[in-house]
mmCIF file of all heavy atoms in Angstrom:
data_model
loop_
_atom_site.group_PDB
_atom_site.id
_atom_site.type_symbol
_atom_site.label_atom_id
_atom_site.label_comp_id
_atom_site.label_asym_id
_atom_site.label_seq_id
_atom_site.Cartn_x
_atom_site.Cartn_y
_atom_site.Cartn_z
ATOM 1 N N ARG D 343 4.631 2.860 -4.515
ATOM 2 C CA ARG D 343 3.600 2.674 -3.515
ATOM 3 C C ARG D 343 3.519 1.261 -3.001
ATOM 4 O O ARG D 343 2.786 0.936 -2.053
ATOM 5 C CB ARG D 343 2.248 3.080 -4.104
ATOM 6 C CG ARG D 343 2.201 4.513 -4.627
ATOM 7 C CD ARG D 343 0.853 4.928 -5.202
ATOM 8 N NE ARG D 343 -0.152 4.919 -4.161
ATOM 9 C CZ ARG D 343 -1.153 4.082 -4.013
ATOM 10 N NH1 ARG D 343 -1.280 3.066 -4.901
ATOM 11 N NH2 ARG D 343 -2.009 4.193 -3.092
ATOM 12 N N VAL D 344 4.308 0.370 -3.615
ATOM 13 C CA VAL D 344 4.186 -1.067 -3.250
ATOM 14 C C VAL D 344 4.681 -1.318 -1.857
ATOM 15 O O VAL D 344 5.804 -0.893 -1.473
ATOM 16 C CB VAL D 344 4.961 -1.958 -4.289
ATOM 17 C CG1 VAL D 344 5.048 -3.390 -3.812
ATOM 18 C CG2 VAL D 344 4.259 -1.873 -5.691
ATOM 19 N N VAL D 345 3.893 -2.045 -1.054
ATOM 20 C CA VAL D 345 4.283 -2.375 0.312
ATOM 21 C C VAL D 345 5.004 -3.709 0.360
ATOM 22 O O VAL D 345 5.900 -3.895 1.113
ATOM 23 C CB VAL D 345 2.980 -2.425 1.192
ATOM 24 C CG1 VAL D 345 3.317 -2.994 2.591
ATOM 25 C CG2 VAL D 345 2.410 -1.010 1.315
ATOM 26 N N TYR D 346 4.579 -4.645 -0.513
ATOM 27 C CA TYR D 346 5.174 -5.967 -0.525
ATOM 28 C C TYR D 346 4.979 -6.560 -1.964
ATOM 29 O O TYR D 346 3.966 -6.374 -2.570
ATOM 30 C CB TYR D 346 4.536 -6.907 0.465
ATOM 31 C CG TYR D 346 5.135 -8.320 0.507
ATOM 32 C CD1 TYR D 346 6.261 -8.558 1.231
ATOM 33 C CD2 TYR D 346 4.551 -9.349 -0.156
ATOM 34 C CE1 TYR D 346 6.895 -9.797 1.278
ATOM 35 C CE2 TYR D 346 5.121 -10.610 -0.187
ATOM 36 C CZ TYR D 346 6.313 -10.814 0.601
ATOM 37 O OH TYR D 346 6.880 -12.064 0.602
ATOM 38 N N ASP D 347 6.020 -7.250 -2.419
ATOM 39 C CA ASP D 347 5.980 -7.832 -3.784
ATOM 40 C C ASP D 347 6.554 -9.178 -3.720
ATOM 41 O O ASP D 347 7.708 -9.381 -3.391
ATOM 42 C CB ASP D 347 6.788 -6.912 -4.716
ATOM 43 C CG ASP D 347 6.690 -7.452 -6.186
ATOM 44 O OD1 ASP D 347 6.029 -8.467 -6.433
ATOM 45 O OD2 ASP D 347 7.313 -6.796 -7.079
ATOM 46 N N ASP D 348 5.732 -10.190 -4.021
ATOM 47 C CA ASP D 348 6.153 -11.582 -4.185
ATOM 48 C C ASP D 348 6.152 -11.891 -5.675
ATOM 49 O O ASP D 348 5.073 -11.959 -6.238
ATOM 50 C CB ASP D 348 5.202 -12.549 -3.444
ATOM 51 C CG ASP D 348 5.669 -13.982 -3.455
ATOM 52 O OD1 ASP D 348 6.391 -14.341 -4.403
ATOM 53 O OD2 ASP D 348 5.296 -14.779 -2.586
ATOM 54 N N PRO D 349 7.319 -12.093 -6.292
ATOM 55 C CA PRO D 349 7.361 -12.223 -7.728
ATOM 56 C C PRO D 349 7.029 -13.571 -8.277
ATOM 57 O O PRO D 349 7.008 -13.773 -9.538
ATOM 58 C CB PRO D 349 8.821 -11.861 -8.067
ATOM 59 C CG PRO D 349 9.559 -12.268 -6.821
ATOM 60 C CD PRO D 349 8.662 -12.018 -5.702
ATOM 61 N N ASP D 350 6.713 -14.548 -7.418
ATOM 62 C CA ASP D 350 6.461 -15.884 -7.918
ATOM 63 C C ASP D 350 5.262 -15.879 -8.847
ATOM 64 O O ASP D 350 4.208 -15.371 -8.505
ATOM 65 C CB ASP D 350 6.169 -16.841 -6.718
ATOM 66 C CG ASP D 350 6.004 -18.297 -7.108
ATOM 67 O OD1 ASP D 350 4.993 -18.676 -7.672
ATOM 68 O OD2 ASP D 350 7.004 -19.054 -6.839
ATOM 69 N N PRO D 351 5.356 -16.457 -10.023
ATOM 70 C CA PRO D 351 4.306 -16.402 -11.055
ATOM 71 C C PRO D 351 3.037 -17.157 -10.719
ATOM 72 O O PRO D 351 1.995 -16.869 -11.179
ATOM 73 C CB PRO D 351 4.953 -16.962 -12.332
ATOM 74 C CG PRO D 351 6.037 -17.842 -11.822
ATOM 75 C CD PRO D 351 6.595 -17.167 -10.594
ATOM 76 N N GLU D 352 3.173 -18.141 -9.786
ATOM 77 C CA GLU D 352 2.017 -18.948 -9.413
ATOM 78 C C GLU D 352 1.338 -18.504 -8.109
ATOM 79 O O GLU D 352 0.086 -18.436 -8.064
ATOM 80 C CB GLU D 352 2.454 -20.437 -9.245
ATOM 81 C CG GLU D 352 2.925 -21.039 -10.566
ATOM 82 C CD GLU D 352 1.859 -21.075 -11.621
ATOM 83 O OE1 GLU D 352 0.691 -21.344 -11.292
ATOM 84 O OE2 GLU D 352 2.179 -20.805 -12.785
ATOM 85 N N VAL D 353 2.124 -18.164 -7.109
ATOM 86 C CA VAL D 353 1.523 -17.763 -5.813
ATOM 87 C C VAL D 353 1.872 -16.363 -5.446
ATOM 88 O O VAL D 353 1.485 -15.896 -4.366
ATOM 89 C CB VAL D 353 1.987 -18.765 -4.695
ATOM 90 C CG1 VAL D 353 1.573 -20.162 -4.995
ATOM 91 C CG2 VAL D 353 3.477 -18.632 -4.455
ATOM 92 N N GLY D 354 2.498 -15.623 -6.306
ATOM 93 C CA GLY D 354 2.961 -14.252 -6.012
ATOM 94 C C GLY D 354 1.847 -13.231 -6.103
ATOM 95 O O GLY D 354 0.757 -13.508 -6.709
ATOM 96 N N PHE D 355 2.091 -12.062 -5.569
ATOM 97 C CA PHE D 355 1.090 -10.947 -5.597
ATOM 98 C C PHE D 355 1.824 -9.673 -5.264
ATOM 99 O O PHE D 355 2.981 -9.684 -4.780
ATOM 100 C CB PHE D 355 -0.005 -11.248 -4.553
ATOM 101 C CG PHE D 355 0.496 -11.183 -3.105
ATOM 102 C CD1 PHE D 355 0.424 -10.063 -2.280
ATOM 103 C CD2 PHE D 355 1.072 -12.345 -2.584
ATOM 104 C CE1 PHE D 355 0.801 -10.085 -1.010
ATOM 105 C CE2 PHE D 355 1.489 -12.341 -1.248
ATOM 106 C CZ PHE D 355 1.369 -11.191 -0.465
ATOM 107 N N VAL D 356 1.158 -8.576 -5.533
ATOM 108 C CA VAL D 356 1.687 -7.232 -5.165
ATOM 109 C C VAL D 356 0.695 -6.655 -4.180
ATOM 110 O O VAL D 356 -0.535 -6.608 -4.457
ATOM 111 C CB VAL D 356 1.836 -6.336 -6.400
ATOM 112 C CG1 VAL D 356 2.172 -4.937 -6.045
ATOM 113 C CG2 VAL D 356 2.884 -6.889 -7.335
ATOM 114 N N LEU D 357 1.197 -6.162 -3.060
ATOM 115 C CA LEU D 357 0.347 -5.515 -2.033
ATOM 116 C C LEU D 357 0.679 -4.029 -2.054
ATOM 117 O O LEU D 357 1.813 -3.577 -1.917
ATOM 118 C CB LEU D 357 0.664 -6.088 -0.682
ATOM 119 C CG LEU D 357 -0.117 -5.561 0.502
ATOM 120 C CD1 LEU D 357 -1.553 -5.979 0.466
ATOM 121 C CD2 LEU D 357 0.514 -6.041 1.826
ATOM 122 N N LEU D 358 -0.398 -3.206 -2.140
ATOM 123 C CA LEU D 358 -0.177 -1.726 -2.157
ATOM 124 C C LEU D 358 -1.419 -1.080 -1.613
ATOM 125 O O LEU D 358 -2.530 -1.649 -1.624
ATOM 126 C CB LEU D 358 0.134 -1.228 -3.527
ATOM 127 C CG LEU D 358 -0.961 -1.160 -4.636
ATOM 128 C CD1 LEU D 358 -0.439 -0.318 -5.787
ATOM 129 C CD2 LEU D 358 -1.382 -2.527 -5.107
ATOM 130 N N PRO D 359 -1.282 0.179 -1.164
ATOM 131 C CA PRO D 359 -2.524 0.861 -0.600
ATOM 132 C C PRO D 359 -3.517 1.105 -1.680
ATOM 133 O O PRO D 359 -3.163 1.503 -2.829
ATOM 134 C CB PRO D 359 -1.897 2.204 -0.082
ATOM 135 C CG PRO D 359 -0.458 1.902 0.133
ATOM 136 C CD PRO D 359 -0.070 0.949 -0.936
ATOM 137 N N ASP D 360 -4.740 0.909 -1.345
ATOM 138 C CA ASP D 360 -5.841 1.325 -2.227
ATOM 139 C C ASP D 360 -5.900 2.861 -2.193
ATOM 140 O O ASP D 360 -5.655 3.481 -1.157
ATOM 141 C CB ASP D 360 -7.188 0.791 -1.745
ATOM 142 C CG ASP D 360 -8.270 1.003 -2.695
ATOM 143 O OD1 ASP D 360 -8.824 2.167 -2.765
ATOM 144 O OD2 ASP D 360 -8.685 0.068 -3.455
ATOM 145 N N LEU D 361 -6.218 3.466 -3.350
ATOM 146 C CA LEU D 361 -6.226 4.927 -3.445
ATOM 147 C C LEU D 361 -7.354 5.592 -2.619
ATOM 148 O O LEU D 361 -7.321 6.795 -2.487
ATOM 149 C CB LEU D 361 -6.260 5.327 -4.909
ATOM 150 C CG LEU D 361 -4.966 5.069 -5.705
ATOM 151 C CD1 LEU D 361 -5.102 5.489 -7.136
ATOM 152 C CD2 LEU D 361 -3.742 5.701 -5.058
ATOM 153 N N LYS D 362 -8.258 4.780 -2.136
ATOM 154 C CA LYS D 362 -9.245 5.357 -1.222
ATOM 155 C C LYS D 362 -8.674 5.688 0.112
ATOM 156 O O LYS D 362 -9.285 6.398 0.920
ATOM 157 C CB LYS D 362 -10.424 4.394 -1.036
ATOM 158 C CG LYS D 362 -11.308 4.224 -2.264
ATOM 159 C CD LYS D 362 -12.528 3.363 -2.030
ATOM 160 C CE LYS D 362 -12.199 1.924 -1.915
ATOM 161 N NZ LYS D 362 -11.775 1.327 -3.181
ATOM 162 N N TRP D 363 -7.458 5.176 0.388
ATOM 163 C CA TRP D 363 -6.791 5.418 1.688
ATOM 164 C C TRP D 363 -5.676 6.437 1.467
ATOM 165 O O TRP D 363 -4.787 6.233 0.616
ATOM 166 C CB TRP D 363 -6.185 4.127 2.220
ATOM 167 C CG TRP D 363 -5.483 4.270 3.566
ATOM 168 C CD1 TRP D 363 -5.864 5.045 4.615
ATOM 169 C CD2 TRP D 363 -4.371 3.599 3.975
ATOM 170 N NE1 TRP D 363 -4.937 4.915 5.650
ATOM 171 C CE2 TRP D 363 -4.038 4.006 5.273
ATOM 172 C CE3 TRP D 363 -3.435 2.610 3.382
ATOM 173 C CZ2 TRP D 363 -2.949 3.543 6.003
ATOM 174 C CZ3 TRP D 363 -2.394 2.177 4.059
ATOM 175 C CH2 TRP D 363 -2.115 2.621 5.373
ATOM 176 N N ASP D 364 -5.684 7.545 2.261
ATOM 177 C CA ASP D 364 -4.655 8.593 2.092
ATOM 178 C C ASP D 364 -3.407 8.277 2.834
ATOM 179 O O ASP D 364 -2.425 9.043 2.730
ATOM 180 C CB ASP D 364 -5.227 9.971 2.508
ATOM 181 C CG ASP D 364 -5.606 10.001 3.996
ATOM 182 O OD1 ASP D 364 -5.201 9.122 4.769
ATOM 183 O OD2 ASP D 364 -6.231 10.977 4.359
ATOM 184 N N GLN D 365 -3.354 7.160 3.598
ATOM 185 C CA GLN D 365 -2.135 6.702 4.253
ATOM 186 C C GLN D 365 -1.666 7.635 5.376
ATOM 187 O O GLN D 365 -0.502 7.528 5.815
ATOM 188 C CB GLN D 365 -1.011 6.456 3.263
ATOM 189 C CG GLN D 365 -1.343 5.483 2.150
ATOM 190 C CD GLN D 365 -0.160 5.281 1.205
ATOM 191 O OE1 GLN D 365 0.851 4.731 1.610
ATOM 192 N NE2 GLN D 365 -0.327 5.736 -0.009
ATOM 193 N N LYS D 366 -2.496 8.538 5.867
ATOM 194 C CA LYS D 366 -2.121 9.403 6.942
ATOM 195 C C LYS D 366 -2.477 8.928 8.286
ATOM 196 O O LYS D 366 -2.063 9.515 9.305
ATOM 197 C CB LYS D 366 -2.740 10.809 6.666
ATOM 198 C CG LYS D 366 -2.221 11.459 5.386
ATOM 199 C CD LYS D 366 -2.796 12.834 5.186
ATOM 200 C CE LYS D 366 -2.232 13.511 3.959
ATOM 201 N NZ LYS D 366 -2.738 14.855 3.677
ATOM 202 N N GLN D 367 -3.264 7.852 8.383
ATOM 203 C CA GLN D 367 -3.621 7.265 9.638
ATOM 204 C C GLN D 367 -4.023 5.781 9.404
ATOM 205 O O GLN D 367 -4.516 5.502 8.271
ATOM 206 C CB GLN D 367 -4.745 7.995 10.388
ATOM 207 C CG GLN D 367 -6.058 8.078 9.600
ATOM 208 C CD GLN D 367 -5.985 9.126 8.522
ATOM 209 O OE1 GLN D 367 -5.575 10.241 8.796
ATOM 210 N NE2 GLN D 367 -6.447 8.770 7.332
ATOM 211 N N VAL D 368 -3.819 4.903 10.392
ATOM 212 C CA VAL D 368 -4.109 3.490 10.169
ATOM 213 C C VAL D 368 -5.586 3.218 10.481
ATOM 214 O O VAL D 368 -5.999 2.061 10.213
ATOM 215 C CB VAL D 368 -3.228 2.618 11.000
ATOM 216 C CG1 VAL D 368 -1.772 2.752 10.585
ATOM 217 C CG2 VAL D 368 -3.401 2.825 12.474
ATOM 218 N N ASP D 369 -6.301 4.164 11.045
ATOM 219 C CA ASP D 369 -7.677 3.858 11.403
ATOM 220 C C ASP D 369 -8.570 3.471 10.172
ATOM 221 O O ASP D 369 -9.500 2.723 10.308
ATOM 222 C CB ASP D 369 -8.320 5.038 12.081
ATOM 223 C CG ASP D 369 -7.809 5.226 13.498
ATOM 224 O OD1 ASP D 369 -7.240 4.255 14.025
ATOM 225 O OD2 ASP D 369 -8.034 6.292 14.130
ATOM 226 N N ASP D 370 -8.204 3.990 9.029
ATOM 227 C CA ASP D 370 -8.918 3.649 7.829
ATOM 228 C C ASP D 370 -8.076 2.908 6.842
ATOM 229 O O ASP D 370 -8.233 3.073 5.617
ATOM 230 C CB ASP D 370 -9.651 4.855 7.160
ATOM 231 C CG ASP D 370 -8.643 5.948 6.843
ATOM 232 O OD1 ASP D 370 -7.497 5.917 7.348
ATOM 233 O OD2 ASP D 370 -9.001 6.925 6.170
ATOM 234 N N LEU D 371 -7.112 2.135 7.343
ATOM 235 C CA LEU D 371 -6.179 1.386 6.501
ATOM 236 C C LEU D 371 -6.926 0.578 5.430
ATOM 237 O O LEU D 371 -7.922 -0.066 5.753
ATOM 238 C CB LEU D 371 -5.284 0.479 7.362
ATOM 239 C CG LEU D 371 -4.341 -0.471 6.606
ATOM 240 C CD1 LEU D 371 -3.011 -0.549 7.393
ATOM 241 C CD2 LEU D 371 -4.928 -1.866 6.457
ATOM 242 N N TYR D 372 -6.426 0.627 4.182
ATOM 243 C CA TYR D 372 -7.044 -0.123 3.118
ATOM 244 C C TYR D 372 -5.964 -0.450 2.087
ATOM 245 O O TYR D 372 -5.444 0.461 1.401
ATOM 246 C CB TYR D 372 -8.137 0.751 2.489
ATOM 247 C CG TYR D 372 -9.169 0.009 1.608
ATOM 248 C CD1 TYR D 372 -10.477 0.436 1.602
ATOM 249 C CD2 TYR D 372 -8.812 -1.093 0.839
ATOM 250 C CE1 TYR D 372 -11.437 -0.227 0.804
ATOM 251 C CE2 TYR D 372 -9.761 -1.765 0.077
ATOM 252 C CZ TYR D 372 -11.063 -1.321 0.086
ATOM 253 O OH TYR D 372 -11.964 -1.974 -0.689
ATOM 254 N N LEU D 373 -5.627 -1.710 1.943
ATOM 255 C CA LEU D 373 -4.668 -2.167 0.977
ATOM 256 C C LEU D 373 -5.274 -3.264 0.081
ATOM 257 O O LEU D 373 -6.267 -3.884 0.444
ATOM 258 C CB LEU D 373 -3.418 -2.735 1.618
ATOM 259 C CG LEU D 373 -2.536 -1.742 2.416
ATOM 260 C CD1 LEU D 373 -2.860 -1.839 3.846
ATOM 261 C CD2 LEU D 373 -1.050 -1.977 2.150
ATOM 262 N N ILE D 374 -4.664 -3.379 -1.121
ATOM 263 C CA ILE D 374 -5.196 -4.380 -2.091
ATOM 264 C C ILE D 374 -4.025 -5.293 -2.462
ATOM 265 O O ILE D 374 -2.894 -4.813 -2.734
ATOM 266 C CB ILE D 374 -5.693 -3.740 -3.374
ATOM 267 C CG1 ILE D 374 -6.920 -2.831 -3.065
ATOM 268 C CG2 ILE D 374 -6.029 -4.753 -4.457
ATOM 269 C CD1 ILE D 374 -8.153 -3.550 -2.714
ATOM 270 N N ALA D 375 -4.259 -6.579 -2.436
ATOM 271 C CA ALA D 375 -3.281 -7.580 -2.932
ATOM 272 C C ALA D 375 -3.731 -8.038 -4.274
ATOM 273 O O ALA D 375 -4.817 -8.667 -4.403
ATOM 274 C CB ALA D 375 -3.166 -8.764 -1.949
ATOM 275 N N ILE D 376 -2.924 -7.800 -5.326
ATOM 276 C CA ILE D 376 -3.269 -8.169 -6.679
ATOM 277 C C ILE D 376 -2.484 -9.434 -7.055
ATOM 278 O O ILE D 376 -1.221 -9.419 -7.032
ATOM 279 C CB ILE D 376 -2.955 -7.047 -7.655
ATOM 280 C CG1 ILE D 376 -3.687 -5.788 -7.265
ATOM 281 C CG2 ILE D 376 -3.318 -7.431 -9.096
ATOM 282 C CD1 ILE D 376 -3.372 -4.594 -8.119
ATOM 283 N N ALA D 377 -3.159 -10.506 -7.384
ATOM 284 C CA ALA D 377 -2.494 -11.768 -7.700
ATOM 285 C C ALA D 377 -1.694 -11.634 -9.032
ATOM 286 O O ALA D 377 -2.154 -10.905 -9.956
ATOM 287 C CB ALA D 377 -3.520 -12.892 -7.871
ATOM 288 N N ARG D 378 -0.631 -12.347 -9.176
ATOM 289 C CA ARG D 378 0.132 -12.296 -10.420
ATOM 290 C C ARG D 378 -0.475 -13.218 -11.490
ATOM 291 O O ARG D 378 -0.272 -12.936 -12.645
ATOM 292 C CB ARG D 378 1.619 -12.759 -10.078
ATOM 293 C CG ARG D 378 2.421 -11.701 -9.333
ATOM 294 C CD ARG D 378 3.866 -11.860 -9.483
ATOM 295 N NE ARG D 378 4.595 -10.695 -8.941
ATOM 296 C CZ ARG D 378 4.793 -9.583 -9.603
ATOM 297 N NH1 ARG D 378 4.407 -9.501 -10.882
ATOM 298 N NH2 ARG D 378 5.428 -8.562 -9.019
ATOM 299 N N GLN D 379 -1.141 -14.268 -11.099
ATOM 300 C CA GLN D 379 -1.861 -15.092 -12.105
ATOM 301 C C GLN D 379 -2.908 -14.213 -12.776
ATOM 302 O O GLN D 379 -3.708 -13.589 -12.141
ATOM 303 C CB GLN D 379 -2.511 -16.291 -11.396
ATOM 304 C CG GLN D 379 -1.565 -17.321 -10.978
ATOM 305 C CD GLN D 379 -2.274 -18.649 -10.702
ATOM 306 O OE1 GLN D 379 -3.129 -19.105 -11.451
ATOM 307 N NE2 GLN D 379 -1.888 -19.240 -9.562
#
Side-chain angles (χ1 to χ4, degrees):
R343 304 180 66 249
V344 171
V345 171
Y346 182 82
D347 184 0
D348 183 337
D350 188 284
E352 295 299 320
V353 301
F355 65 97
V356 173
L357 180 70
L358 73 167
D360 189 281
L361 290 179
K362 289 187 286 293
W363 181 38
D364 63 12
Q365 304 181 64
K366 294 182 178 179
Q367 59 282 313
V368 298
D369 285 346
D370 55 347
L371 176 141
Y372 198 146
L373 294 99
I374 297 290
I376 302 176
R378 289 199 170 275
Q379 287 195 46

